[in-house]
Amino acid sequence: MRYLDTAATTPVRREVLEAMWPFLTGEFGNPSSRHGLGDVASRALERARADVAAAVGARPAEIVLTSGGTEADNLAVKGLALANPRGRHLVTTRIEHPAVLEACDHLVRLHGFRRDLLDVDGDGVVDLTQAERLIGAETTLVSVMLANNEVGTVQPVAEVAALARARGALVHTDAVQAVGSVVVDPTQLGVDALSLSGHKVGAPKGSGALWVRRGVPLEPLIHGGGQERGLRSGTENVAAAVGLAAAITSAVGSTPGGPRPRGPVEALAAARDAFVHDVLSAAPGAFLTGHPRRRLPGHASFCFPGTSGEAVLLGLEQDHGIACSSGSACAAGSDEPSEVLLALGIDPEVARTAVRFTAASPADFEGAAGAVVTAVRAVRSLAG
Ligand code: PLP
């Protein structure tokens, strides 16, 4: 099978599993226990925290370990807004992950917040003029993702953050898809909080972290024994933390100039561009969704008018052994066209023809275009 769905998830890397193994077996202690086993676990947890922090150029005390990107987004949005309510005004974008959008909705429904959604242009880039107009003295929090999962567009987060900071608002970015692909440096971005997830870069599902700038108040969502400096109670998942640290460290290198993706980013983007070119030149009417250049290096997403994205996906799996995604896997099972594609101004019928191909290595894209074009033709000939 050719796996072209790394934006949905990735397998646990061997070295990550090896790093985790001791903490699932012999070194199984609870980090809060006072005996030797507890000590070993506690030291491993703190080493993992320090490694995650180093990978984003931050301090260990700024990292809250979570059960993944969804929890990190919820903790950022609800935790920052409840601890610093200001004028109870939230600003986010139409193309955020549901973890951010639903967390905002929760604050609107139960805590008296207002929420404004920023539009994006046809390439999925957030509207800075509108941001300038909407972010004001009342604004509590602005949340803009660093890279979009469905269309791969990388957002001008530093520009939005500068606008927000000038008006005294806090800024969060969801960097779940960006880690290992673009520079993820909260200081350079000028944000106050940044979400990470492990399973997009070779750590297990259910691992993640929220970076929160030192000194910024955060209200916990999970109450209990006071772990994670009282910000996230519950016995820590030491193995997941160790896995997250190992995976993020191998995806991101700390260089004197700050964190940098370690992988073959240019080669990956070149292989992706060749794949996109080959698909578009042989599949009439097909078009790329998202920004043609300001996009994640391993991300190619298309609409194939005259097909159904689901049918192309099934054909690719059955006839060509290719695993990809029709729109976002997180919204899979729903027949509704993707809100993200609608926000880009794509017609709802055309949005139903979306297929996404995402890869971590240039070889994954090589030679795949022919199969995609054949699958698209097969669906079109059945439909027509
Ligand atoms: N944010 C983005 C942009 C994502 O793509 C995802 C997952 O696909 C998440 C958040 C949720 O992360 P997790 O699956 O770790 O809960």
Side-chain angles (χ1 to χ4, degrees):
M1 190 196 49
R2 189 197 287 255
Y3 186 70
L4 287 174
D5 206 12
T6 54
T9 196
T10 61
V12 175
R13 299 160 67 108
R14 174 170 282 279
E15 72 272 18
V16 170
L17 188 58
E18 281 168 3
M20 293 171 65
W21 184 251
F23 304 99
L24 293 163
T25 52
E27 304 291 0
F28 59 86
N30 181 328
S32 299
S33 296
R34 293 296 172 86
H35 46 64
L37 272 177
D39 249 24
V40 171
S42 167
R43 273 188 274 116
L45 189 70
E46 294 318 313
R47 205 175 321 115
R49 187 188 313 285
D51 290 347
V52 172
V56 293
R59 300 181 182 92
E62 295 173 314
I63 298 290
V64 184
L65 295 162
T66 68
S67 66
T70 298
E71 187 188 330
D73 283 345
N74 271 267
L75 181 57
V77 172
K78 297 180 202 164
L80 288 174
L82 293 174
N84 316 272
R86 219 182 175 210
R88 295 186 188 270
H89 178 228
L90 307 167
V91 175
T92 185
T93 80
R94 292 192 187 282
I95 62 165
E96 292 306 304
H97 190 272
V100 166
L101 290 171
E102 295 293 321
C104 289
D105 278 357
H106 170 91
L107 292 170
V108 170
R109 277 187 288 109
L110 297 179
H111 296 279
F113 280 76
R114 282 184 304 123
R115 183 210 62 181
D116 277 312
L117 294 177
L118 295 173
D119 295 324
V120 294
D121 66 15
D123 291 332
V125 180
V126 76
D127 183 339
L128 287 172
T129 317
Q130 193 191 22
E132 197 154 7
R133 210 173 55 242
L134 287 178
I135 302 169
E138 302 261 282
T139 307
T140 308
L141 175 71
V142 178
S143 181
V144 175
M145 69 201 323
L146 189 47
N148 182 266
N149 43 314
E150 291 190 47
V151 296
T153 301
V154 176
Q155 298 296 339
V157 170
E159 282 90 326
V160 178
L163 281 176
R165 270 204 325 278
R167 291 157 175 80
L170 292 171
V171 188
H172 163 248
T173 192
D174 174 336
V176 166
Q177 292 288 342
V179 170
S181 290
V182 299
V183 174
V184 174
D185 181 336
T187 310
Q188 274 181 35
L189 291 169
V191 296
D192 300 287
L194 182 144
S195 304
L196 299 167
S197 171
H199 74 104
K200 313 292 183 183
V201 288
K205 295 161 190 63
S207 63
L210 179 68
W211 169 86
V212 187
R213 182 186 301 289
R214 192 163 66 164
V216 175
L218 186 72
E219 181 66 28
L221 305 183
I222 301 177
H223 303 95
Q227 290 89 345
E228 295 294 298
R229 307 183 304 288
L231 295 172
R232 201 271 183 183
S233 286
T235 303
E236 302 89 337
N237 189 341
V238 179
V242 168
L244 174 73
I248 292 209
T249 305
S250 74
V252 180
S254 264
T255 62
R260 286 274 170 285
R262 274 193 211 271
V265 173
E266 277 94 37
L268 182 58
R272 187 272 322 274
D273 287 344
F275 170 72
V276 169
H277 172 269
D278 292 350
V279 169
L280 294 184
S281 51
F287 62 91
L288 185 74
T289 58
H291 198 284
R293 292 173 310 282
R294 268 192 76 108
R295 67 184 297 133
L296 294 171
H299 196 296
S301 49
F302 303 91
C303 283
F304 297 113
T307 69
S308 111
E310 282 297 302
V312 172
L313 175 146
L314 287 176
L316 278 169
E317 172 147 42
Q318 276 164 16
D319 303 336
H320 305 276
I322 291 180
C324 59
S325 175
S326 63
S328 159
C330 305
S334 114
D335 272 329
E336 294 303 309
S338 140
E339 290 293 333
V340 171
L341 298 176
L342 299 183
L344 267 68
I346 296 172
D347 174 87
E349 280 318 306
V350 176
R352 287 194 174 88
T353 73
V355 187
R356 177 187 75 181
F357 304 91
T358 49
S361 128
D364 295 335
F365 281 124
E366 279 157 23
V372 173
V373 172
T374 308
V376 168
R377 278 198 195 122
V379 174
R380 279 186 177 153
S381 70
L382 281 178

